[in-house]
Amino acid sequence: MLSPLREHLRDTFWFAPVASMVLITLLWWGCSALDTAIVEALQDAGEYEAVGDLVGIADDAKTIVTTISSAMMTFIGVVFSISLVAVQMASGQFSPRIVRIFIRSRITKATFSVFLATFLLSLLVLTSYESETDPRLVQTVPLVQSILTLVMVALSLLLFVAYVNSTLRLMRVGHVVDRITWEAFRVLEKTPEHAAGAGGLGPATDELVHRGKAGVLRDVNVALLVAAARRHGVVLRLLPRIGDFVVPGTPILAVHGGTVPRRVAGAVSVGIERTFHQDLGFGLRQLSDIALRALSPAVNDPTTAVQCLDRITQFLAALAHRPLGAVEYRDRRRGGGTVRFVQDGPDWTDLVDLGFAEIRGCAADSPQVSRRMLAGLDDLLARVPPERAAPLLRHRTLLVRLVERTVPEAADRSFALEPDRQGIG
């Protein structure tokens, strides 16, 4: 949570394949050295007949390795085509923002990485074959390398089955909604629970502005900012919130109690889209987007919207008694440490509005959605402390007014305003 490097690498698709190819090259080099050592040991012992047997076995395996080398790229093309079709269908059916689920999928990256590593290994193994067949003169026999290639092929087949299963699951709305909710709870678990005393910081003594490209504030390197603030004896405060769009010249860090070098602003990461890493509201944003698309006239799928409302209610229920808003990070000194970095975050009202406001505007045409939303609001009202009830009551009142104003028949209005956790069971 403190350093965003791991999350940034997970948001890329190149790192895992490149790392796997580097690793397989090193592994091939080790196997090649082992093959050479085996041949030299047998020749030193005068076991030329055994060397001849190894040469025969390796020649038989060469046909298999050659076939693997020519077929693996075709296999990779098939897998890549499946991925493109799955991503296109999912982004069109659910939301373009869920494409990141495919990009971050471990099984997808593992499959591509192993396929590419197997292809590269087969090429490297073919370079190890010699034209010399005399057991007394041969220098190496790629036996261990060929065995490693066959192991990689078997692993590729197993991963292909797992990949197809994973891709089919990611095309199901229930699994996508569950995955988004799971990632939202991961962010929640890593977010400090104590609220910051923002009012006690005093006036800012300095201010750092964003000097990079315009984009969305994705995350900050908390560890780096805390270390810099401790080194200079100051407190830093992040001015925009995670998910805000910033342009060059936008103030991003307020300094309290002194000054810091301008390079400290480099700890703030800006990209082209939001990520889950430190964004507490991004999960609700995606769930709301999926529900809105499901309720559009072109799709007309209120059951999907109900599934999203289930998860929105679940997430907000987990926040019912949790401190929200600005949070503080301390250094690691004895006695609890000193506050060094304060980061603004969404408060309870912000999250409730994010989860319900847009869906509520489309709920009047679907009694299934209005009934489920009323049940969710009632469940939350029964859980939250009194000081957090206001935004829930506001959405409930507005939803009732919308249905009363939109639905002409009294019986239909009564039916649409009856809370039901299943919508229409």
Side-chain angles (χ1 to χ4, degrees):
M1 182 66 180
L2 296 181
S3 176
L5 177 60
R6 176 176 174 272
E7 293 297 321
H8 290 182
L9 290 178
R10 285 196 64 193
D11 283 333
T12 65
F13 206 80
W14 61 266
F15 179 76
V18 170
S20 68
M21 289 189 289
V22 172
L23 181 61
I24 202 65
T25 302
L26 297 176
L27 191 58
W28 165 80
W29 180 82
C31 291
S32 178
L34 181 58
D35 283 330
T36 301
I38 291 173
V39 171
E40 291 177 351
L42 291 175
Q43 289 174 338
D44 293 340
E47 299 289 342
Y48 297 112
E49 183 177 350
V51 175
D53 292 339
L54 292 181
V55 172
I57 295 173
D59 286 340
D60 293 338
K62 184 177 181 180
T63 303
I64 300 176
V65 175
T66 303
T67 304
I68 292 171
S69 177
S70 60
M72 190 54 65
M73 282 306 296
T74 303
F75 205 23
I76 293 174
V78 171
V79 174
F80 189 68
S81 299
I82 294 174
S83 295
L84 289 180
V85 172
V87 169
Q88 184 178 11
M89 291 181 62
S91 62
Q93 182 179 357
F94 305 135
S95 168
R97 272 151 293 284
I98 69 150
V99 173
R100 62 179 303 278
I101 294 180
F102 289 85
I103 296 176
R104 290 171 62 90
S105 172
R106 288 188 176 94
I107 188 64
T108 301
K109 291 181 180 180
T111 302
F112 275 96
S113 298
V114 172
F115 281 10
L116 289 173
T118 303
F119 173 69
L120 177 61
L121 177 62
S122 64
L123 296 180
L124 294 173
V125 171
L126 289 175
T127 64
S128 298
Y129 280 92
E130 298 181 0
S131 58
E132 182 62 58
T133 59
D134 188 347
R136 298 176 181 274
L137 301 178
V138 68
Q139 295 181 350
T140 184
V141 177
L143 180 64
V144 178
Q145 302 170 57
S146 300
I147 294 174
L148 177 62
T149 304
L150 296 178
V151 171
M152 292 294 293
V153 170
L155 181 60
S156 299
L157 295 176
L158 292 176
L159 280 175
F160 179 70
V161 175
Y163 165 77
V164 172
N165 178 68
S166 175
T167 301
L168 291 176
R169 291 178 64 195
L170 288 176
M171 295 175 66
R172 293 162 50 191
V173 63
H175 180 75
V176 171
V177 169
D178 180 71
R179 179 65 179 270
I180 293 172
T181 307
W182 176 77
E183 292 205 28
F185 273 101
R186 283 190 62 209
V187 178
L188 182 61
E189 292 172 0
K190 296 179 180 180
T191 303
E193 294 192 22
H194 49 274
L201 295 179
T205 56
D206 196 7
E207 195 173 74
L208 303 182
V209 300
H210 175 59
R211 300 190 181 280
K213 296 181 179 180
V216 175
L217 181 58
R218 298 191 300 176
D219 48 43
V220 295
N221 193 323
V222 176
L224 183 61
L225 291 175
V226 169
R230 178 180 179 180
R231 187 164 53 250
H232 294 88
V234 300
V235 179
L236 298 174
R237 181 181 178 88
L238 186 67
L239 296 177
R241 287 203 325 219
I242 300 296
D244 287 356
F245 189 87
V246 297
V247 298
T250 301
I252 53 173
L253 287 171
V255 186
H256 299 265
T259 59
V260 294
R262 301 297 164 186
R263 65 176 180 273
V264 173
V268 178
S269 175
V270 173
I272 60 175
E273 62 180 357
R274 296 168 69 174
T275 69
F276 259 117
H277 183 210
Q278 297 172 355
D279 196 338
L280 189 60
F282 190 43
L284 292 176
R285 175 70 275 161
Q286 292 184 79
L287 292 173
S288 179
D289 286 347
I290 295 174
L292 289 173
R293 178 159 298 199
L295 292 174
S296 64
V299 179
N300 193 22
D301 181 15
T303 303
T304 293
V306 167
Q307 288 181 281
C308 294
L309 285 171
D310 292 339
R311 299 302 187 171
I312 291 172
T313 304
Q314 176 191 0
F315 187 66
L316 291 176
L319 298 171
H321 298 275
R322 186 186 180 98
L324 296 170
V327 295
E328 59 187 24
Y329 297 87
R330 300 173 179 268
D331 55 28
R332 296 184 177 180
R333 291 180 178 177
R334 294 181 179 178
T338 303
V339 175
R340 293 301 182 187
F341 176 59
V342 178
Q343 179 178 349
D344 283 333
D347 58 22
W348 172 251
T349 301
D350 295 331
L351 295 174
V352 171
D353 290 342
L354 181 57
F356 290 119
E358 294 175 303
I359 302 177
R360 174 177 50 78
C362 302
D365 296 329
S366 174
Q368 184 178 1
V369 177
S370 63
R371 288 159 63 93
R372 179 63 187 98
M373 183 176 290
L374 288 171
L377 291 169
D378 290 344
D379 288 341
L380 291 172
L381 284 168
R383 295 175 61 94
V384 301
E387 61 271 16
R388 290 190 171 182
L392 299 173
L393 291 172
R394 170 166 54 84
H395 282 289
R396 198 185 195 288
T397 301
L398 291 174
L399 177 58
V400 171
R401 291 178 180 175
L402 178 64
V403 173
E404 291 177 343
R405 186 173 62 252
T406 307
V407 180
E409 295 293 334
D412 290 338
R413 288 198 301 268
S414 178
F415 179 78
L417 294 177
E418 181 179 347
D420 185 347
R421 291 189 178 93
Q422 294 187 21
I424 300 177

